[in-house]
Amino acid sequence: AEKVLGYDLLSLCLEGPRDALDRTQHCQPAVFVASLAAVEKLNHLQPEVVERCVAAAGYSVGEFAALVFAGALDFAEALYAVKVRAEAMQKASEAVPSGMLSVVGRREANYKFACLEARKHCESLGIENPVCTVSNYLFPDSRVIAGHLQALEFLQENARKYYFKRTKMLPVSGAFHTRLMEPAVEPLAEVLKSIEIQKPLFCVYSNVDGKKYMHSNHIQKLLVKQVVSPVLWEQTMHSVYERKQGTEFPYTYEVGPGNQLGAILKQCNLKAWKQYKHVDALEDEEAAET
């Protein structure tokens, strides 16, 4: 990874500084590499789990890791594409004061209407063509809304009106998965054209439509589209775990930093979550030290 990126990613992950690691241009490659490191650890501890894998999915940049794991992309080439994507998204987010707001709503919450009113508020402030839209579908009654900062502030101030139980600004610098990321589309499209993409060895699900990737052109197109499209994670969970009544659920492994996807799975499908495990690239070493 260090050769591809031109900096020491491992020391940045282990020693920080934290604010440098949190920057989009470093954070995306770090998540990608740490996810695949956790796959290697799982392969070392329980090789049969990796051998028997039937499907994979990755959240946002994690989709690149899922495609490498499935044999569709080469590690170094995918990492270079992630580097280009991360730098382009960082640049796009610096162009407009924007961000992302995590929302847990009541049953009555109408996210589209709330976003519409937030955009009208921005127009009243003189912001042309404002952006405020759902950018991530997490689980029933939970969304991430992204767009101009003024729109997100408006939603926080009027949370009760829109039946939002909890709102929290995410520690990111831009409105990812909205059209504010359009400047990142071309650089990523260019680099993906120069990469050889194979048909995955098993099913990989796309964030863009929650469905399985069909062929390499499909992968190339949707990875670009993903930058400006909402992440349909809740819908993906339903696709992955659709079962006839009485059929057993598969084992699910979350490989990589954090266990947020496990927390989301618990909200989406409790039965599937009971077969869930988390594998972090570092966990054992920390346990050995303590």
Side-chain angles (χ1 to χ4, degrees):
E2 189 176 342
K3 273 185 191 155
V4 174
L5 297 169
Y7 58 86
D8 186 347
L9 183 66
L10 185 61
S11 81
L12 184 61
C13 286
L14 296 178
E15 289 147 35
R18 178 79 199 229
D19 58 340
L21 184 58
D22 278 345
R23 280 176 72 82
T24 303
Q25 69 193 74
H26 298 136
C27 179
Q28 291 187 21
V31 169
F32 170 82
V33 174
S35 300
L36 288 165
V39 169
E40 288 302 324
K41 177 174 154 183
L42 179 61
N43 195 24
H44 178 70
L45 297 173
Q46 293 174 273
E48 70 285 355
V49 168
V50 173
E51 281 160 26
R52 291 209 298 256
C53 180
V54 291
Y59 188 95
S60 193
V61 73
E63 199 162 285
F64 285 82
L67 286 161
V68 170
F69 173 54
L73 297 174
D74 168 74
F75 170 77
E77 289 183 335
L79 177 58
Y80 182 69
V82 166
K83 175 185 190 284
V84 168
R85 177 188 191 266
E87 287 168 359
M89 286 170 80
Q90 174 90 37
K91 204 171 160 189
S93 56
E94 284 164 4
V96 178
S98 58
M100 303 180 84
L101 182 73
S102 174
V103 176
V104 177
R106 299 187 190 283
R107 281 284 149 87
E108 312 91 300
N110 183 336
Y111 303 93
K112 275 193 176 144
F113 177 65
C115 289
L116 175 70
E117 294 221 319
R119 288 196 298 272
K120 282 183 179 163
H121 167 73
C122 285
E123 283 166 358
S124 76
L125 300 175
I127 296 169
E128 279 180 37
N129 215 355
V131 171
C132 182
T133 183
V134 173
S135 61
N136 307 67
Y137 292 81
L138 302 180
F139 55 85
D141 307 321
S142 178
R143 308 274 185 274
V144 176
I145 293 174
H148 283 82
L149 279 183
Q150 296 89 333
L152 304 181
E153 283 158 8
F154 172 83
L155 290 177
Q156 281 188 294
E157 283 160 21
N158 295 281
R160 287 183 68 177
K161 178 185 172 183
Y162 300 117
Y163 301 103
F164 294 169
K165 280 194 284 196
R166 276 204 314 276
T167 60
K168 185 182 170 214
M169 286 298 290
L170 297 180
V172 295
S173 53
F176 304 146
H177 305 291
T178 72
R179 64 177 165 81
L180 287 176
M181 288 295 118
E182 262 165 18
V185 164
E186 200 48 45
L188 180 60
E190 280 306 306
V191 75
L192 286 172
K193 273 179 203 160
S194 66
I195 288 176
E196 199 178 339
I197 302 175
Q198 309 286 344
K199 190 176 192 292
L201 300 171
F202 44 77
C203 303
V204 179
Y205 289 81
S206 163
N207 289 179
V208 172
D209 58 10
K211 294 175 182 162
K212 296 169 192 172
Y213 278 118
M214 304 312 283
H215 47 74
S216 48
N217 277 1
H218 196 209
I219 293 171
Q220 189 184 324
K221 255 198 210 122
L222 292 189
L223 281 179
V224 174
K225 202 176 171 190
Q226 193 226 56
V227 174
V228 289
S229 303
V231 172
L232 305 187
W233 193 256
E234 183 187 337
Q235 295 85 332
T236 302
M237 292 298 91
H238 294 317
S239 297
V240 172
Y241 297 105
E242 207 177 345
R243 292 278 177 290
K244 284 199 184 91
Q245 200 101 34
T247 315
E248 280 201 19
F249 281 97
Y251 288 96
T252 298
Y253 293 83
E254 179 173 4
V255 281
N259 52 7
Q260 293 90 332
L261 299 182
I264 293 172
L265 178 59
K266 189 177 183 181
Q267 299 286 344
C268 285
N269 191 325
L270 191 60
K271 282 183 179 168
W273 176 78
K274 286 180 176 161
Q275 307 273 44
Y276 160 90
K277 289 186 178 70
H278 175 234
V279 183
D280 191 308
L282 279 179
E283 239 159 36
D284 283 2
E285 293 161 41
E286 285 170 7
E289 281 165 23
T290 53

